[in-house]
C-alpha cells in the first residue's frame, strides 16, 4: 500500500502530546536519553512520522548536530540522494579533516561532479561516511533522523549501514522510521543497517478510546461515540485512516443510513483500491457482495448468485485484498477499509442489487431484514414490520446495538400514519441505544422526536432518554424536570417515571438521601397504581439502596419487596435493579461469598444481554469484591477492564476510575492510582455528582496513605467525612474510609481526632452489625494506643483485629493488621516480625504494600521509642496557657476541641503548641503524651 506524500502530517500540525503512544514514546525517549538508537516500524499511516518528529524535536536541543533525511518512493532510484540530504550542509565543515581519497569520493557522491559509484569507490565512500560521523561527534552528540527508510536509495542505505555498525562508543544516535506490516523479517534488514544497540519500536493500531481522543484533538468533536466506534472499526485503528474518515464525516451534510458502512473519502479509496484494477469485473462484483455481508462465506456468496466465488476470492487473496485463513470459514478482508471503500465506490443501484440478493441468501433473520431495508428506497409497512421483528430478536439475543440500528431502519420505512408510528419505533431504538451504551445516539434520537411529538406518553418517554443519557451529570438536565412533569400530567404511569428520576437527582445533585428515599417510595406507589411493574421494581430497588446507605431499619424489608414476584427480566439484570440492591446489602454485611456469587451472575447476564452500562458497573463491583478478599491481581484486571469499557462507551467513567484507583494503589502502580482518583474526583466535581465525589475522594485518600502522604490523606478524607455527613450517610460500610483517616491522623500526630472518629464510627458499626468495620476500627485504635505509649494494649488489640479480619475473609485488611503488628514488634530486636506481613501481602499480590514491608525490613530493627530529652518536670515549667493546652492534648482533644473548651481561637491553640514544642525540644502532640507517660513512670 503506497501513501502519497500529501498524506504525511505537516510538522506544524504535530500535536504537543503524541496521542495513544505514551508507553512506547516513553521507552523510545529513555533509549535516546541513554545514548541509544531507535527504529520505529509499522504499517502505512500508523503514525510513525508523527512520533519520529516529536522525538526528534525533543532531542534536537541536546545534540550538537542533527542530520535529517526523508526519502520518497519516486526518488528511491537516485543514488546517494539520502546521503546528500544528511551531509550536504555539513560537508564543508568536516571535509578538511577527511583523508584526500575519502574527501574526493564523498564530494563526488554528494555533488554529482564526478562519477563516484559503490563499485569503483566503495571502500573510500564507506570510510568517508564513517569518518564524517566521527568528526561531527568529536564536536558534540550527533542525532541522525531518517524517515521512510524503505524508500532510501540503495547506495545511501548501504553506506549508512556500514557506518552505523562501526560507530562504537561515538556519541551518534539514529532515530529512524520504516514502513512494515509487522513481520520480523520485514524490518530485520533495516535494523541491521542501524547501530547494534538500536531499540525496535512497533507502532500498532489505536484502541477505540485512542481514536476518539485523536478525533477530539483534531476538532471533530461533533462526532458521536457510536460514529467514533464505526470509524475505529473501519479504520482498523489506523490513525491516518481514522482522521480521513472523521474529516469526511464532519464535512458531509448527510450521515450514512443505519446498517450501511461509513462513506470512504476519495483520498483513502485511492490508497486501498489500486489493486482492484487487476481484478475481473465478475471478481470485483463478488467482493462487493462480500463487503455488504456481515460475515461473508463462500456458501453465502453462492447463495447470492456468485457461482465462481472460489476462483474469484482466490484471485483477490493473491492480490492481498483478502486475508487467507484455512481454519476460518468466513472471508476476511485484509483491512476493514478495503471492504468499506469497495462498498463506497460501487454505484447505488449495484449496492441495492447486492442487498436484494443477500436478503434471501442470508440464513439469519436479522441479517435478511437488514439487507431488505438497505435494498428498499421508501416507506414500506411490510419492510418496517420485518425490521421491527428483527430488532426484537436482536434485543432478545443480547445485541441492543444491533436492535437500535434495526429500529432506526424500521422507523425510516414506517409510513407516517403507521401503527406503531415511526416516532414510537425511534424511541424504542433510543432505549436500545441506551442499553448498548450509545448515549449520544440515544440523546440525538430523543431530541429529534421531541421537536414534533405531541402525545404525552411519547414526550415523557423521550425525556426519560434525555435524562438517562445525562448519566451522573444530572445537574445539566435540571431544566428538563418541570417540562416533563407538565407533559406527564396526572397519569400515574408517567409520573412514576419522572419521580424515579427525581429520586436520582436528589441524591446525585443535592446529596439528600432522605428526600431521595421519599421520591423513590412515591415513584413505587405511583407505578403500582398505574400497573407499571418494571418502574415499581426499579423504584423499590433504589429506595432500598438509599435506606441501606442511610442505615435505615427498613432496608431489608424494602429489598424483599423489590424481589417479590412477578419480576421483570430487564430489572433483574439491571445495575440499579433489585438484585443489585441485594448484592450491595450482602457486601456491606460482610457476606463476601454470597456477594461474589451474586455479582458474578449479574455480570454474566449483563454480558449475555449486551447491557453495556450494567457490564461496566458489575465489572467494577466484582473488582471491589475481589479487593475485599485481598485478590489484588484479579481485582486490578477487572478494574482496568471496567475502566476501558467505561471510556469506550462514555458511561460510568467516574465510578470506574475511582475503583481502578483503589485497585492500582492496592496491587499495581500507586502513582497511577493517585492520577485516577484525581481524575474521578474532577469528573464528579464537573458533573456536580456528590455521590461519586465522596467515593472518589475516599479513593484518593487511600492512595495518598499508601503513597506515604499522610497529610494529603487527611485533607481528602476529612472532606469525605463532611460530604457524607451532609448527605445523611451513616453506614461506615459504604465507603470504608474511616480506618484510613484514623491511621493518617495518627501519622500526623492527631491521635485525639483519630480516637474521636473511631468512637463515633463504632456506634454506627455496632448498631448495624458491621463486623469487618469494627475490626478495622480496632486496628486503627491500636495505632492510637501505640502513639500514646500503650504498646501492650496496642499489641493485643492488633492481634485480635487480624484474627477477626482473617475469619471474615478480608485478606488485604488482615495483611495490613499484620503489618501494623510487625511495626509494633519491630521496636524490638527481631526484624523477622515482618515475615508474616510479607507473606500475607504476597498472597494478596498487594505489591505497593509489599514494597513498604521490604523498605521496613531493609531499614533494620527500629530503635525503641524514647521520650524526648526534656528535663524532669519540664511540663511544669510551661506558662499557664501552655500547660492547659498540653493537658488537653494528653486527654486526646483536637485543636478545635481545645479552642472551644478554653474559649480561644484554633490559631491561638496552634501558636501555643508551637511554643510548647520549642520549649520542650519535641516535634509533635504524640511527644507530649510520651513525656507525660515518662513523668508518671518516674514518680
Amino acid at each position: 500500500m503506497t501513501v502519497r506524500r500529501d498524506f504525511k502530517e505537516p510538522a506544524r500540525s504535530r500535536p504537543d502530546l503524541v496521542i495513544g503512544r505514551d508507553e512506547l514514546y516513553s521507552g523510545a525517549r529513555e533509549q535516546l536519553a541513554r545514548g541509544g538508537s531507535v527504529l520505529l516500524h509499522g504499517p502505512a499511516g500508523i503514525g510513525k512520522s508523527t512520533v519520529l518528529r516529536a522525538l526528534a524535536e525533543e532531542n534536537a536541543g541536546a545534540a550538537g548536530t542533527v542530520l535529517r533525511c526523508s526519502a520518497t518512493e519516486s526518488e528511491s532510484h537516485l543514488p546517494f540522494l539520502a546521503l546528500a540530504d544528511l551531509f550536504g550542509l555539513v560537508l564543508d565543515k568536516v571535509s578538511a579533516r577527511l583523508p584526500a581519497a575519502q574527501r574526493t569520493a564523498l564530494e563526488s557522491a554528494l555533488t554529482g561532479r564526478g562519477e563516484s559509484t559503490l563499485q569503483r569507490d566503495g571502500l573510500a565512500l564507506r570510510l568517508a561516511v564513517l569518518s564524517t560521523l566521527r568528526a561531527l561527534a568529536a564536536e558534540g552528540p550527533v542525532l541522525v533522523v531518517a524517515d521512510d527508510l524503505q524508500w532510501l536509495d540503495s547506495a545511501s542505505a548501504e553506506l549508512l549501514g556500514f557506518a552505523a555498525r562501526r560507530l562504537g562508543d561515538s556519541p551518534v544516535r539514529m532515530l529512524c522510521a520504516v514502513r512494515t506490516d509487522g513481520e520480523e523479517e520485514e524490518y530485520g534488514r533495516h535494523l541491521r543497517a542501524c547501530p547494534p544497540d538500536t531499540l525496535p519500536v512497533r507502532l500498532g493500531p489505536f484502541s477505540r478510546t485512542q481514536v476518539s481522543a485523536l478525533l477530539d484533538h483534531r476538532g471533530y468533536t461533533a462526532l458521536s461515540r457510536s460514529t467514533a466506534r464505526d470509524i475505529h472499526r473501519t479504520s482498523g485503528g489506523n490513525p491516518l485512516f481514522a482522521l480521513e474518515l472523521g474529516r469526511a464525516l464532519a464535512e458531509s451534510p448527510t450521515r450514512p443510513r443505519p446498517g450501511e458502512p461509513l462513506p470512504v473519502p476519495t483520498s483513502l479509496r485511492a490508497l486501498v483500491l489500486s489493486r482492484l484494477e487487476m481484478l475481473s469485473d465478475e471478481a470485483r462484483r463478488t467482493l462487493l457482495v462480500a463487503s455488504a455481508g456481515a460475515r461473508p462465506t463462500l456458501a453465502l456468496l453462492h447463495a447470492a448468485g456468485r457461482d465462481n466465488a472460489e476462483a474469484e476470492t482466490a484471485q483477490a487473496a493473491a492480490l492481498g485484498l483478502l486475508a487467507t485463513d484455512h481454519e476460518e470459514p468466513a472471508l476476511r478482508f485484509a483491512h476493514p477499509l478495503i471492504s468499506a471503500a469497495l462498498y463506497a465506490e460501487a454505484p447505488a443501484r449495484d449496492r441495492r442489487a447486492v442487498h436484494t440478493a443477500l436478503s434471501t441468501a442470508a440464513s439469519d433473520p436479522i441479517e435478511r431484514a437488514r439487507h431488505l431495508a438497505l435494498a428498499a428506497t421508501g416507506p414500506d409497512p411490510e419492510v418496517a414490520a420485518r425490521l421491527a421483528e428483527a430488532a426484537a430478536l436482536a434485543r432478545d439475543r443480547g445485541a441492543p446495538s444491533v436492535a437500535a440500528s434495526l429500529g432506526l431502519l424500521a422507523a425510516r420505512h414506517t409510513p407516517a400514519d403507521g401503527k406503531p408510528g415511526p416516532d414510537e419505533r425511534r424511541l424504542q431504538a433510543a432505549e436500545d441505544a441506551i442499553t448498548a451504551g450509545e448515549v449520544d445516539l440515544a440523546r440525538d434520537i430523543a431530541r429529534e422526536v421531541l421537536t414534533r411529538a405531541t402525545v404525552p406518553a411519547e414526550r415523557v418517554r423521550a425525556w426519560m432518554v434525555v435524562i438517562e443519557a445525562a448519566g451522573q451529570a444530572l445537574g445539566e438536565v435540571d431544566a428538563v424536570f418541570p417540562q416533563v412533569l407538565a407533559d406527564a400530567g396526572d397519569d400515574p404511569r408517567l409520573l412514576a417515571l419522572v419521580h424515579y428520576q427525581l429520586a436520582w437527582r436528589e441524591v446525585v445533585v443535592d446529596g439528600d438521601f432522605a428526600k431521595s428515599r421519599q421520591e423513590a417510595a412515591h415513584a413505587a406507589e405511583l407505578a403500582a397504581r398505574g400497573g407499571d411493574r418494571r418502574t415499581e421494581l426499579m423504584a423499590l430497588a433504589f429506595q432500598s439502596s438509599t435506606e441501606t446507605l442511610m442505615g435505615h431499619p427498613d432496608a431489608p424489608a424494602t429489598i424483599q419487596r423489590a424481589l417479590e414476584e412477578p419480576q421483570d427480566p430487564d430489572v433483574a439484570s439491571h445495575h440499579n435493579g433489585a438484585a443489585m440492591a441485594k448484592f450491595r446489602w450482602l457486601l456491606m454485611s460482610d457476606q463476601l461469598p454470597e456477594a461474589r456469587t451474586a455479582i458474578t451472575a449479574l455480570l454474566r447476564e449483563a454480558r449475555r444481554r449486551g447491557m453495556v452500562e450494567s457490564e461496566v458497573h458489575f465489572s467494577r463491583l466484582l473488582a471491589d469484591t475481589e479487593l475485599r478478599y485481598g485478590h489484588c491481581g484479579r481485582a486490578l484486571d477487572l478494574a482496568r477492564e471496567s475502566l476501558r469499557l467505561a471510556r469506550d462507551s462514555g458511561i460510568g467513567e467516574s465510578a470506574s476510575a475511582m475503583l481502578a484507583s483503589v485497585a492500582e494503589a492496592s496491587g499495581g502502580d500507586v502513582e497511577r492510582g493517585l492520577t485516577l482518583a484525581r481524575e474521578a474526583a474532577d469528573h464528579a466535581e464537573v458533573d456536580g455528582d456528590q455521590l461519586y465525589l465522596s467515593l472518589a475522594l475516599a479513593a484518593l485518600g487511600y492512595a495518598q496513605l499508601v503513597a506515604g502522604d499522610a497529610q494529603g490523606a487527611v485533607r481528602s478524607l476529612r472532606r469525605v467525612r463532611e460530604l457524607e455527613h451532609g448527605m445523611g450517610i451513616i453506614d461506615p460500610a459504604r465507603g470504608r474510609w474511616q480506618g484510613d483517616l484514623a491511621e493518617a491522623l495518627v501519622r500526623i500526630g492527631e491521635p485525639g481526632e483519630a480516637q474521636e472518629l473511631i468512637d463515633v464510627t463504632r456506634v454506627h458499626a455496632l448498631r448495624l452489625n458491621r463486623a469487618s468495620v469494627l475490626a478495622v476500627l480496632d486496628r486503627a485504635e491500636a495505632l492510637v494506643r501505640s502513639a500514646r505509649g500503650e504498646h501492650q494494649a496496642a499489641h493485643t488489640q492488633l492481634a485480635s483485629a487480624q484474627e477477626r479480619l482473617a475469619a471474615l475473609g478480608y485478606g488485604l485488611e488482615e495483611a495490613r493488621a499484620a503489618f501494623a503488628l510487625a511495626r509494633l514488634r519491630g521496636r524490638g530486636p527481631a526484624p523477622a516480625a515482618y515475615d508474616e506481613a510479607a507473606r500475607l501481602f504476597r498472597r494478596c499480590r498487594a505489591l505497593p504494600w509489599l514494597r513498604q514491608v521490604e523498605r521496613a525490613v531493609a531499614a533494620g530493627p527500629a530503635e525503641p521509642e524514647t521520650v524526648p530529652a526534656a528535663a524532669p518536670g519540664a511540663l511544669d515549667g510551661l506558662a499557664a496557657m501552655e500547660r492547659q493546652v498540653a493537658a488537653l492534648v494528653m486527654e486526646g482533644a483536637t485543636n478545635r476541641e481545645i479552642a472551644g473548651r478554653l474559649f480561644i481561637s484554633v490559631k491561638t491553640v496552634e501558636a501555643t503548641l508551637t511554643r510548647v514544642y520549642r520549649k520542650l525540644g519535641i516535634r509533635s502532640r504524640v511527644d507530649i503524651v510520651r513525656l507525660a507517660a515518662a513523668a508518671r513512670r518516674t514518680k
Side-chain angles (χ1 to χ4, degrees):
M1 217 165 15
T2 301
V3 178
R4 301 199 311 273
R5 284 184 69 88
D6 59 343
F7 272 90
K8 291 187 179 179
E9 183 186 33
R12 64 179 177 276
S13 64
R14 180 190 60 79
D16 294 331
L17 173 67
V18 180
I19 294 171
R21 305 297 189 192
D22 295 350
E23 186 174 344
L24 64 84
Y25 189 86
S26 297
R29 174 195 284 147
E30 291 169 6
Q31 171 74 357
L32 290 167
R34 289 192 294 266
S37 297
V38 172
L39 175 65
L40 306 169
H41 66 98
I46 205 67
K48 302 180 297 297
S49 296
T50 300
V51 176
L52 180 133
R53 279 194 297 271
L55 287 168
E57 183 175 315
E58 186 175 304
N59 285 272
T65 305
V66 179
L67 308 176
R68 302 176 186 269
C69 70
S70 182
T72 64
E73 184 178 13
S74 62
E75 299 167 343
S76 60
H77 67 286
L78 299 173
F80 306 122
L81 183 62
L83 206 64
D85 287 343
L86 289 170
F87 294 149
L89 297 178
V90 297
L91 182 60
D92 292 342
K93 183 178 179 181
V94 298
S95 60
R97 283 176 275 174
L98 300 180
Q102 294 180 22
R103 181 170 62 249
T104 300
L106 186 59
E107 287 176 346
S108 297
L110 297 187
T111 63
R113 290 195 295 269
E115 294 186 359
S116 182
T117 66
L118 278 178
Q119 287 71 29
R120 195 182 72 183
D121 303 317
L123 181 58
L125 270 174
R126 287 175 170 84
L127 293 174
V129 171
L130 179 59
S131 298
T132 299
L133 289 172
R134 284 176 172 166
L136 292 170
E139 299 177 359
V142 176
L143 177 64
V144 178
V145 182
D147 200 1
D148 283 323
L149 281 186
Q150 74 278 2
W151 303 135
L152 232 64
D153 64 273
S154 58
S156 296
E158 169 77 14
L159 294 170
L160 201 57
F162 175 88
R165 293 190 294 273
R166 290 164 175 80
L167 285 168
D169 295 332
S170 298
V172 178
R173 297 169 295 166
M174 292 183 68
L175 173 58
C176 307
V178 62
R179 181 188 305 175
T180 66
D181 289 329
E183 298 298 328
E184 185 173 344
E185 57 269 19
E186 287 188 68
Y187 71 88
R189 64 186 179 90
H190 298 291
L191 189 60
R192 288 191 292 275
C194 297
D197 66 344
T198 299
L199 172 71
V201 177
R202 171 165 171 74
L203 277 70
F206 274 16
S207 68
R208 188 192 306 178
T209 303
Q210 290 165 342
V211 165
S212 295
L214 179 64
L215 293 168
D216 287 346
H217 185 81
R218 291 303 180 86
Y220 303 134
T221 53
L223 298 175
S224 67
R225 286 185 180 272
S226 57
T227 300
R229 178 202 62 196
D230 291 341
I231 289 174
H232 174 259
R233 184 180 63 244
T234 303
S235 68
N238 185 296
L240 169 68
F241 297 168
L243 284 172
E244 285 296 301
L245 289 167
R247 180 185 57 78
L249 282 168
E251 294 174 356
S252 174
T254 60
R255 292 287 186 265
R257 296 166 65 188
E260 282 188 338
L262 293 180
V264 180
T266 305
S267 54
L268 287 185
R269 293 185 205 178
L271 293 179
V272 299
L273 297 181
S274 56
R275 281 167 284 180
L276 282 177
E277 297 173 1
M278 303 173 67
L279 287 175
S280 66
D281 290 343
E282 289 302 308
R284 183 165 179 156
R285 187 168 182 82
T286 294
L287 285 193
L288 177 60
V289 176
S291 72
R295 194 171 182 271
T297 61
L298 288 172
L300 178 67
L301 295 178
H302 281 299
R306 309 311 301 162
D307 297 334
N308 297 318
E310 286 87 351
E312 289 159 355
T313 55
Q315 183 186 0
L319 291 171
L321 294 165
L322 291 177
T324 55
D325 186 349
H326 300 297
E327 301 296 325
E328 175 59 51
L331 299 170
R332 184 167 56 85
F333 284 88
H335 192 283
L337 192 61
I338 297 175
S339 173
L342 180 63
Y343 185 91
E345 185 81 0
R349 64 178 181 278
D350 290 352
R351 294 202 296 260
R352 286 197 298 272
V354 164
H355 287 300
T356 299
L358 289 172
S359 68
T360 56
S363 59
D364 186 82
I366 293 176
E367 186 69 3
R368 287 199 301 270
R370 184 178 74 88
H371 289 301
L372 184 64
L374 295 174
T377 56
D380 186 326
E382 183 180 347
V383 171
R386 289 269 301 276
L387 286 163
E389 291 169 4
L393 181 59
R395 200 175 301 119
D396 291 341
R397 288 182 180 178
S401 180
V402 176
S405 177
L406 292 167
L408 288 176
L409 283 170
R412 179 189 293 268
H413 291 286
T414 300
D417 58 352
K419 298 294 182 184
D423 278 347
E424 189 171 346
R425 283 180 165 149
R426 287 188 182 93
L427 287 171
Q428 179 61 65
E431 290 162 357
D432 287 329
I434 285 285
T435 302
E438 299 180 14
V439 293
D440 293 339
L441 175 62
R443 185 190 299 111
D444 291 345
I445 296 170
R447 291 204 176 276
E448 180 194 348
V449 170
L450 284 166
T451 61
R452 57 177 173 268
T454 57
V455 178
E458 287 188 356
R459 290 189 61 79
V460 171
R461 193 174 172 188
W463 283 125
M464 291 300 104
V465 171
V466 171
I467 293 170
E468 287 278 357
Q472 298 299 123
L474 284 176
E476 295 179 3
V477 292
D478 245 0
V480 164
F481 287 102
Q483 299 177 55
V484 70
L485 280 168
D487 285 333
D490 57 2
D491 186 328
R493 289 177 65 92
L494 300 181
L495 285 170
L497 293 169
V498 183
H499 283 280
Y500 173 71
Q501 294 295 348
L502 282 169
W504 275 102
R505 186 213 166 278
E506 292 299 336
V507 72
V508 170
V509 178
D510 291 342
D512 190 335
F513 270 74
K515 195 167 182 181
S516 176
R517 174 179 175 269
Q518 292 172 5
E519 288 284 5
H522 187 39
E525 179 189 342
L526 288 165
R529 198 189 322 158
D532 182 356
R533 182 61 173 163
R534 182 187 187 282
T535 302
E536 181 187 6
L537 291 171
M538 291 293 289
L540 285 170
F542 187 59
Q543 179 186 342
S544 67
S545 295
T546 59
E547 289 173 348
T548 297
L549 295 175
M550 294 169 66
H552 197 287
D554 290 348
T558 309
I559 292 174
Q560 192 56 45
R561 283 178 61 200
L563 290 169
E564 289 174 356
E565 295 295 336
Q567 284 291 310
D568 182 295
D570 287 338
V571 176
S573 52
H574 195 280
H575 56 279
N576 289 320
M580 173 63 192
K582 183 178 180 180
F583 158 77
R584 185 177 288 110
W585 175 261
L586 290 169
L587 191 67
M588 293 174 67
S589 301
D590 298 320
Q591 300 179 58
L592 293 186
E594 296 85 350
R596 179 201 266 164
T597 299
I599 198 64
T600 301
L602 283 169
L603 177 58
R604 188 185 306 115
E605 183 64 11
R607 286 173 173 165
R608 188 187 72 80
R609 298 172 67 87
M611 302 171 71
V612 173
E613 184 171 7
S614 294
E615 182 182 352
V616 169
H617 289 296
F618 293 154
S619 296
R620 170 177 62 84
L621 292 166
L622 179 55
D624 189 14
T625 307
E626 296 293 350
L627 267 180
R628 298 192 188 212
Y629 268 113
H631 301 162
C632 297
R634 167 75 171 147
L636 189 58
D637 289 342
L638 284 164
R640 287 173 174 171
E641 173 62 19
S642 173
L643 182 58
R644 183 198 64 76
L645 187 58
R647 286 176 170 167
D648 280 353
S649 62
I651 294 173
E653 292 184 71
S654 294
S656 294
M658 172 273 298
L659 199 281
S661 164
V662 179
E664 291 285 356
S666 299
D669 184 337
V670 179
E671 287 302 317
R672 178 164 169 76
L674 289 165
T675 299
L676 286 170
R678 292 188 179 105
E679 174 189 319
D682 289 345
H683 270 297
E685 291 268 27
V686 169
D687 290 344
D689 182 355
Q690 296 193 54
L691 189 64
Y692 275 117
L693 177 58
S694 65
L695 291 171
L697 289 171
L700 177 59
Y702 171 72
Q704 288 167 323
L705 184 66
V706 177
D709 180 10
Q711 289 283 2
V714 168
R715 285 194 300 272
S716 299
L717 296 174
R718 277 174 173 165
R719 191 172 174 205
V720 175
R721 179 172 60 187
E722 293 168 5
L723 284 167
E724 290 204 352
H725 178 75
M727 288 188 285
I729 297 174
I730 61 171
D731 193 331
R734 184 251 184 176
R736 305 179 65 86
W737 50 267
Q738 294 85 353
D740 292 337
L741 176 53
E743 181 174 338
L745 285 166
V746 171
R747 289 191 192 182
I748 67 168
E750 293 285 355
E753 184 180 346
Q755 187 63 58
E756 179 185 8
L757 171 66
I758 291 166
D759 292 343
V760 170
T761 306
R762 185 177 277 131
V763 171
H764 298 302
L766 283 168
R767 181 175 65 83
L768 297 168
N769 193 28
R770 301 300 190 228
S772 65
V773 174
L774 289 167
V776 168
L777 291 175
D778 277 358
R779 184 185 69 202
E781 189 170 50
L783 299 178
V784 174
R785 287 182 167 177
S786 176
R788 290 173 171 168
E790 303 169 20
H791 301 310
Q792 185 56 50
H795 182 285
T796 302
Q797 197 167 17
L798 277 172
S800 172
Q802 180 183 347
E803 182 179 348
R804 286 148 55 206
L805 288 166
L808 290 166
Y810 284 77
L812 184 58
E813 299 290 5
E814 174 197 357
R816 287 180 63 181
F819 188 27
L821 195 56
R823 280 172 162 165
L824 189 61
R825 290 169 175 164
R827 300 179 190 283
Y834 290 102
D835 289 350
E836 173 71 356
R839 182 185 69 81
L840 292 174
F841 281 133
R842 202 172 290 115
R843 183 186 68 183
C844 293
R845 286 188 59 191
L847 302 181
W849 286 104
L850 186 59
R851 283 191 284 271
Q852 289 193 34
V853 174
E854 290 169 349
R855 284 194 292 271
V857 171
E863 292 295 326
E865 290 286 351
T866 58
V867 177
L875 291 173
D876 298 333
L878 297 174
M881 175 62 74
E882 294 167 352
R883 282 199 306 275
Q884 286 180 293
V885 169
L888 290 172
V889 165
M890 290 178 226
E891 293 179 16
T894 66
N895 288 358
R896 188 172 298 278
E897 290 169 338
I898 294 170
R901 290 170 67 174
L902 297 180
F903 303 102
I904 57 178
S905 71
V906 173
K907 285 189 176 181
T908 301
V909 174
E910 292 170 350
T912 304
L913 278 174
T914 300
R915 291 196 301 274
V916 169
Y917 298 158
R918 187 173 61 251
K919 286 183 177 181
L920 299 180
I922 60 177
R923 293 175 295 176
S924 72
R925 301 163 62 96
V926 177
D927 291 336
I928 294 178
V929 176
R930 289 173 181 154
L931 270 175
R936 286 194 296 272
R937 287 194 296 270
T938 58
K939 288 181 179 179

